[in-house]
Amino acid sequence: MLKRIFSPATLIVLLVGLTGIGLVLYAWRLPPFTSTLEMTDNAYVRGYVTVLSPQVSGYVVEVPIKDYQRVTEGQLLVKIDDRTYVQKLAQANSTLESQKAALANSHQQEVSANANIGASQATVDSAQAALKQAQLAAERQQNLSRSGAGVLSAQEQSAAELEKARAAVAQAQAQLEVSRQQLTTIVVNRGSLEAAVTGAEAAVELAKIDLANTEIHAPRDGRVGEVGVRLGQYVTAGTQLLAVVPSEVWVIANYKETQLAGMQVGQPVAISVDALGHRQLRGRIERFAPATASEFAVIRSDNATGNFVKIAQRVGVRISIDADQESAKDLDPGMSVVVRVDTSAAPENR
């Protein structure tokens, strides 16, 4: 009877069944296969890939770099024909000098207007002195007329001279007011001249910026990607010319939300790099994404449907790479890696 129950076929079926159950328990990390080691192959090396574009239009006259070449900060990458922008700068400088000359002329006009005011004031003083003299002469003739010794023609002449002196005073005072108004006009108009000078100075600075933008330099040390611009090509503002990739890299590991329990900032991480023959590198958790990857998708999913199926979402984990490793310099953005985090490990404060 026991021989029938434990026949070879029965044993094989039991063994296959137990193996299947064991694989399921292992895949779902259920007892006795629970582990504090969380692993994901949904992880990639990332870096600051800077795409360079011109801010001005023109023909490319110089491309002194090649594909994948290492460059240093400030190194010339692309040069655009600058003859038009040199002339625009000269034109802006000429306009600025013209506006400055107009402003200087305004100051000279102010000096002249002040001199005219002084001359007009002197004319008023002279006219008032003549008026006083004419008044005294008229009074003498009136006194002579009362005593009977005066001559009618002399009295009439003195009266006329008095009226003439009064008119001269009024004319001199009017001319003085005209001179003062001319000074006010000059001072008021100076505001527009000063604004014109400021605008011309801004135009010069803009022309200098445009001229400087005809040369595109490396913003940081690194390597260039494939150079897409060619000698003689006409480019416009926003045209993608090439990309500069600095040496600073890190890893983004997209863990399932069910794997995050126990993960903390500072915990050590083991990184296996596919492109380096699965060579192991060390790192540590730097920070967690503020939302799951689905929240950043262009087309967001709508789970408010009748046939809803729960799917574990993934959360990005940024991992810094320890710098004291020889293989770290061989990492390039976009490489695939496998990341392992021991959630039982204590965080490292560095």
Side-chain angles (χ1 to χ4, degrees), residues 141-203:
Q141 290 298 324
Q142 288 177 358
N143 291 333
L144 290 173
S145 295
R146 293 191 191 99
S147 63
V151 180
L152 180 60
S153 60
Q155 184 180 0
E156 290 176 351
Q157 184 178 0
S158 65
E161 291 294 334
L162 178 59
E163 292 300 324
K164 186 177 180 180
R166 288 173 177 169
V169 170
Q171 183 180 9
Q173 289 176 338
Q175 185 59 43
L176 176 61
E177 183 62 25
V178 169
S179 299
R180 288 172 175 169
Q181 292 301 322
Q182 287 177 345
L183 176 61
T184 301
T185 300
I186 292 171
V187 173
V188 170
N189 288 338
R190 185 173 303 155
S192 63
L193 295 175
E194 291 173 345
V197 170
T198 302
E201 289 174 343

Side-chain angles (χ1 to χ4, degrees), residues 103-265:
L103 181 59
N105 184 52
S106 174
H107 287 287
Q108 184 59 39
Q109 287 177 349
E110 181 181 2
V111 173
S112 178
N114 283 321
N116 287 335
I117 290 175
S120 299
Q121 184 63 55
T123 303
V124 170
D125 294 340
S126 176
Q128 288 177 341
L131 174 60
K132 187 175 182 180
Q133 184 179 8
Q135 287 174 341
L136 293 174
E139 288 177 359
R140 284 196 300 270
Q141 290 298 324
Q142 288 177 358
N143 291 333
L144 290 173
S145 295
R146 293 191 191 99
S147 63
V151 180
L152 180 60
S153 60
Q155 184 180 0
E156 290 176 351
Q157 184 178 0
S158 65
E161 291 294 334
L162 178 59
E163 292 300 324
K164 186 177 180 180
R166 288 173 177 169
V169 170
Q171 183 180 9
Q173 289 176 338
Q175 185 59 43
L176 176 61
E177 183 62 25
V178 169
S179 299
R180 288 172 175 169
Q181 292 301 322
Q182 287 177 345
L183 176 61
T184 301
T185 300
I186 292 171
V187 173
V188 170
N189 288 338
R190 185 173 303 155
S192 63
L193 295 175
E194 291 173 345
V197 170
T198 302
E201 289 174 343
V204 169
E205 291 302 318
L206 289 174
K208 289 180 179 179
I209 292 173
D210 285 342
L211 180 59
N213 285 335
T214 58
E215 293 185 355
I216 299 174
H217 300 267
R220 299 178 61 181
D221 295 345
R223 288 188 299 165
V224 297
E226 185 175 351
V227 180
V229 64
R230 297 292 180 264
L231 192 67
Q233 178 181 350
Y234 183 82
V235 296
T236 59
T239 303
Q240 293 188 2
L241 304 179
L242 49 88
V244 175
V245 184
S247 57
E248 182 182 355
V249 293
W250 60 92
V251 171
I252 297 295
N254 299 300
Y255 274 99
K256 292 180 181 180
E257 55 186 330
T258 55
Q259 296 178 284
L260 297 179
M263 286 191 186
Q264 303 177 57
V265 173

Side-chain angles (χ1 to χ4, degrees), residues 47-69:
Y48 295 108
V49 180
T50 305
V51 179
L52 300 182
S53 301
Q55 292 182 273
V56 296
S57 303
Y59 289 96
V60 176
V61 296
E62 188 177 353
V63 185
I65 44 95
K66 305 296 182 182
D67 296 343
Y68 315 137
Q69 177 181 330

Side-chain angles (χ1 to χ4, degrees), residues 247 249 268-269 271 279-284 320-331 348 350:
S247 57
V249 293
V269 178
I271 304 168
R279 195 178 307 167
Q280 296 288 326
L281 292 174
R282 302 183 311 278
R284 60 189 177 89
S320 63
I321 301 171
D322 294 347
D324 57 344
Q325 302 175 92
E326 183 65 24
S327 300
K329 62 181 179 59
D330 298 326
L331 295 177
E348 299 177 2
R350 297 186 179 180

